[in-house]
């Protein structure tokens, strides 16, 4: 099926209108008309070639909300007309120990999980194309049910990456009542981290480099806000956190945050900067039996659990709607931390 899409033809060319080929839906496939697509910093890292291994043309977008247009003969979970979501994955081996434990994102099959964009395909010159497009065809296992009300659909799109990427570590490290949780970087991921940690019952501290985000971070649900460039404000939280979730998309000093962990506390990194962080000093980690950890998106079952939790609690992203044609401007603003707090593309503008 010939499908309209917005693609970067190389790391140095702006995204532009193109036509891509989508497969005809197979027996297990769901064909989806895309209504909204969130703009993740990973889209920018990819389209501008900041990460190794990007294949061009690149069609980013992995925060997809759409309407089912048709389903294959063996599809049981969806029917035409359903509102559905697609996140960062569209495939995995489905038989390794990770896949068997609903951890498709950590698939140990020969190719790992199949990314919604820049993912593996069956021949080396193929690529997967993401949500900056009119339609997509996805195996039903990787399609999510969306239970938010109609008026919230655009704002629900970022849950498919920003939501699950913060939810999964918050759950894994037991964020909840009695726990002090920090969220570093109040961007797309970070603002969802604050909302979700608060909804889970934790005491939430937002860390930002942008003093003008102080009020907004409180409104998002943070109990306290720390401007991380202010050494005094930072020092007041020494030795006190159970968990700090670091969503920053740029290289920075991790010692500033490991020093705020209490005994057995964990600094979990989800941001993937273009260049490495300076090596953390080990002394503070050893003397507090502290951990520095990482976490990758979340599994499909866990994504559905998060979506249902958000629908039930009325949680969505704070979004700014954009036209498809404004994507490069949106990327430039994202680099200046000038997003409140997620751009979402109205795909009707494609
Ligand atoms: P974003 O919307 O651009 O937010 C990043 C935030 O980090 C900014 O808003 C800013 O917040 C802070 N920041 C930016 N530059 C900084 C600097 N030089 N020093 C300190 N803080 C800085 O990005 P996002 O979409 O949330 O994505 C964040 C990162 O997570 C990206 O690297 C992305 O690729 C990665 N990611 C990882 C996963 C995963 O599974 N692990 C999934 C999705 C995305 P303040 O203004 O508050 O300081
Ligand atoms: Zn993402
Ligand atoms: Zn697998």
């Amino acid at each position: 099926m010939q499908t309209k899409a917005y693609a970067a033809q190389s790391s140095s060319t702006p995204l532009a209108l193109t036509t891509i080929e989508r497969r005809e839906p197979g027996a297990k496939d769901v064909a989806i008309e895309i209504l909204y697509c969130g703009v993740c910093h990973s889209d920018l890292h990819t389209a501008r070639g900041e990460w190794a291994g990007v294949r061009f043309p690149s069609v980013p977008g992995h925060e997809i909300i759409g309407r089912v247009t048709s389903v294959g003969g063996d599809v049981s979970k969806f029917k035409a007309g359903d509102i559905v979501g697609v996140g960062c994955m569209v495939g995995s081996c489905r038989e390794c120990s990770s896949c068997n434990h609903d951890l498709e994102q950590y698939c140990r099959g020969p190719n790992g999980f199949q990314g919604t964009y820049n993912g593996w395909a069956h021949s080396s010159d193929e690529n997967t194309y993401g949500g900056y497009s009119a339609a997509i065809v996805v195996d039903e296992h990787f399609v999510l049910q969306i239970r938010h009300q109609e008026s919230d659909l655009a704002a629900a799109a970022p849950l498919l990456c920003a939501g699950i990427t913060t939810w999964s570590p918050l759950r894994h490290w037991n964020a909840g009542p009695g726990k002090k949780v920090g969220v570093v970087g109040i961007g797309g991921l970070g603002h969802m981290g604050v909302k979700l940690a608060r909804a889970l019952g934790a005491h939430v501290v937002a860390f930002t480099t942008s003093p003008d985000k102080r009020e907004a971070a409180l409104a998002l649900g943070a109990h306290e806000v720390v401007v991380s460039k202010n050494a005094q404000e930072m020092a007041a939280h020494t030795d006190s956190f159970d968990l700090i979730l670091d969503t920053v998309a740029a290289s920075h000093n991790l010692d500033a945050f490991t020093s705020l962990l209490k005994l057995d506390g964990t600094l979990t990194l989800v941001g993937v900067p273009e260049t490495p962080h300076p090596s953390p000093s080990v002394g503070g980690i050893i003397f507090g039996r502290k951990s520095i950890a990482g976490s990758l998106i979340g599994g499909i079952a866990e994504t559905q659990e998060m979506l249902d939790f958000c629908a039930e609690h009325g949680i969505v992203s704070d979004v700014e709607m954009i036209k498809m044609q404004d994507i490069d401007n949106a990327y430039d603003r994202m680099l200046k931390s000038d997003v409140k707090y997620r751009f979402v593309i109205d795909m009707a503008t494609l």
Side-chain angles (χ1 to χ4, degrees), residues 95-108:
E95 55 186 35
C96 71
S97 60
S98 296
C99 286
N100 283 332
H101 287 91
D102 291 323
L103 295 167
E104 299 90 342
Q105 74 274 36
Y106 302 115
C107 176
R108 290 301 183 247

Side-chain angles (χ1 to χ4, degrees), residues 102-307:
D102 291 323
L103 295 167
E104 299 90 342
Q105 74 274 36
Y106 302 115
C107 176
R108 290 301 183 247
N111 304 308
F113 78 82
Q114 183 182 36
T116 303
Y117 60 81
N118 201 45
W120 50 262
H122 294 287
S123 75
S124 58
D125 57 347
E126 286 180 80
N127 192 356
T128 55
Y129 297 127
Y132 297 4
S133 61
I136 192 166
V137 177
V138 181
D139 183 301
E140 73 165 332
H141 180 76
F142 293 90
V143 179
L144 288 309
Q145 247 135 20
I146 301 294
R147 301 192 163 92
H148 285 75
Q149 55 192 35
E150 183 96 30
S151 56
D152 279 344
L153 293 183
L159 300 177
L160 276 311
C161 175
I164 185 59
T165 302
T166 50
W167 174 266
S168 185
L170 288 170
R171 296 280 288 166
H172 183 77
W173 279 277
N174 299 312
K179 296 289 174 73
K180 184 171 174 184
V181 174
V183 179
V184 187
I186 308 305
L189 266 55
H191 96 288
M192 285 313 308
V194 169
K195 288 189 187 209
L196 294 172
R198 177 70 187 247
L200 288 167
H203 181 85
V204 184
V205 180
F207 291 93
T208 181
T209 58
S210 311
D212 61 321
K213 289 184 185 173
R214 199 185 281 275
E215 288 308 312
L218 293 171
L220 290 167
H223 295 93
E224 299 175 69
V225 182
V226 172
V227 175
S228 52
K229 292 170 182 162
N230 182 321
Q232 246 179 332
E233 276 187 58
M234 291 289 279
H237 290 271
T238 300
D239 214 2
S240 69
F241 282 90
D242 296 282
L243 171 66
I244 299 179
L245 192 57
D246 187 336
T247 76
V248 172
S251 166
H252 62 281
N253 168 22
L254 301 182
D255 296 343
F257 297 103
T258 54
S259 63
L260 306 188
L261 296 172
K262 67 185 198 190
L263 178 66
D264 290 329
T266 303
L267 171 66
T268 298
L269 307 176
V270 292
V272 189
E274 183 183 0
T275 51
H277 298 302
S279 178
S281 58
V282 294
I285 301 171
I286 291 171
F287 279 82
R289 198 166 59 188
K290 300 173 183 180
S291 304
I292 297 178
S295 183
L296 179 63
I297 45 177
I300 293 298
E302 192 178 34
T303 305
Q304 190 65 61
E305 172 196 71
M306 176 275 311
L307 286 166

